[in-house]
Amino acid sequence: MQVPVWGWAEAGEKITVSIDQQTKTCTADPAGKWMVRLDPMETGTPRKMTVKGKSGALEITDILLGEVWLCSGQSNMAWPLKQAMNGQQEVAEAIYPEIRLFDVPNAMDSKVPLERLQNNNPIVQKNYCIWRPCSPDTAKDFSAVAYFFGRDLHQALHVPVGLINNSVGGSPIVAWISHSALMADSDFKVVAQYFDGLAHYVENTPKGKRDLEARSAEYDAKQAEARAKDKPPLWPPKYLGPVKSWGFGCSLFNALINPLIPYGMRGAVWYQGEAEWQWMYEYRGIFPVLIKDWRSRWGQGAFPFLFVQLPNWSNPSPEPDSGGWALIRESQLATLKLPNTGMAVTIDVGEAASIHPIDKQDVGERLSLAARGVVHGEKIVYSGPIYREMKVEGHSIRLSFDHVGSGLMVGKKSALQPTVEDQAGPLKRFAIAGEDNKWVWGDARIDKNTVVVSSPAVPKPVAVRYAWANNPEGCNLYNKDGLPASPFRTDTTQPGPSTQMGAFYKSKLEKGFSLTPVK
């Protein structure tokens, strides 16, 4: 692809950019910004680029060309390599000179779109906003998911890989979407309107300013108490109003995404959704808004967008339940309808007791398989079984799937080990119901490339659910290529994708504003 290179100079200054055998020139605009687009080049071999202006020349060396991926989301994307499973060993082995790492400072946000990354927080000054070769020192605090994804991709494609870690723990999806994209969507414009109103409240009204001062003082007191008792600091960082609070709509897009546009990249990797506990169904509406927004602004067309379906988490339920996180997994599954997307199913590598499972290796590997299959067109099996359709057959329901690969199997997965076939084990976590909507565990068996589910308690079945729970412990439908099936249901009983979120923010707008106490 053509590669954008840009910077700032004096207004009207002529800029010349040279690399390999090509030279491009441009003139800085009235604001001093300039940009050239380099012709496509071959991957590999380190290059030298020279940028010349009237005041002199800047020489940049050791430039690699290859796969560049923007890796974004919340804390499971931010989770550092040193805290992953076998972290000490993984850090020691992270010696890949042709993998380059770029950390975006996650303490920054803004009420308005920024043109440059603002690395002005003393806590995150070092090692941010610079490209660094992958080594034990540079990789230890880098995103584990991004690292394992990039490492596996580098080893498979044999080309340099650049990874941009741009993730903020606990961040909601609305913070990563532009204001104009929210306003242009009839379902979600009220979200942007609410945050606009809240910004005005704390910045321009006497009561809002008093609210902000009171909440700030309360926060300081609780933070001091935590330090005195040697407890972890409060998170999120101190609330300073809409200008510096990642919980506000568009604030992370403004500060962390907009300055990166239009950096030349292959695509994006996304791991987020834990923060959307209130909007699990609505996620299927707002997630595509984010993807389309980023694609539109980058101007690279429908660039590849890969994402992680949330893993299993919390205490398993002994009986079929209403789903919990299964709703957001379903919303993520529905997003595969967008072109050039891929999903890593992680329902088998989570942890009941931790929302931050440490097996990031399997997550990165499955994302890299998606990149190889979806993006590079390799003839590989890159996804586990995805539910396609059902058919009632007397007292049973027969389920058909896409991505069956070499066939369906009952699988057993241990952390960091290949999935193996469990020939003695039955399929688990299939529930079945009749028209009374009473769910019971079903007897499930594999019949060639389909699954047949039944139960003596349901003589006239109408629907089936699989792995439909926060933590469907023991779910074990895989293809023989070792990839797990995505959770699914054949019934749909929920409201439309925006009704609850829109109604919630509309109600808050109508009631006015006040700041909540510090938790």
Side-chain angles (χ1 to χ4, degrees), residues 390-399 432 443 445 451-455 458-464:
M390 62 161 275
K391 182 180 180 182
V392 177
E393 297 180 347
H395 303 307
S396 303
I397 291 180
R398 184 180 297 272
L399 306 166
I432 190 168
D443 299 317
R445 61 181 176 84
V451 171
V452 179
V453 187
S454 63
S455 169
V458 186
K460 295 182 179 180
V462 299
V464 167

Side-chain angles (χ1 to χ4, degrees), residues 281-332:
Y281 193 85
E282 286 79 358
Y283 200 82
R284 74 193 60 201
I286 199 151
F287 189 19
V289 172
L290 178 141
I291 296 173
K292 294 174 183 178
D293 183 29
W294 289 15
R295 285 174 169 177
S296 172
R297 291 176 177 277
W298 244 272
Q300 289 184 193
F303 63 70
F305 202 104
L306 312 178
F307 52 92
V308 180
Q309 189 184 56
L310 292 190
N312 51 308
W313 169 67
S314 78
N315 295 325
S317 172
E319 300 298 332
D321 61 27
S322 59
W325 270 17
L327 276 170
I328 200 164
R329 296 186 194 108
E330 182 183 59
S331 293
Q332 292 168 323

Side-chain angles (χ1 to χ4, degrees), residues 7 26 38 55 63 138-139 181 210 216 224 252 380 390 397 455 481:
C26 66
L38 303 175
S55 58
I63 298 171
T138 61
R210 289 195 300 269
S216 180
L252 295 183
I380 60 172
M390 62 161 275
I397 291 180
S455 169
D481 306 273

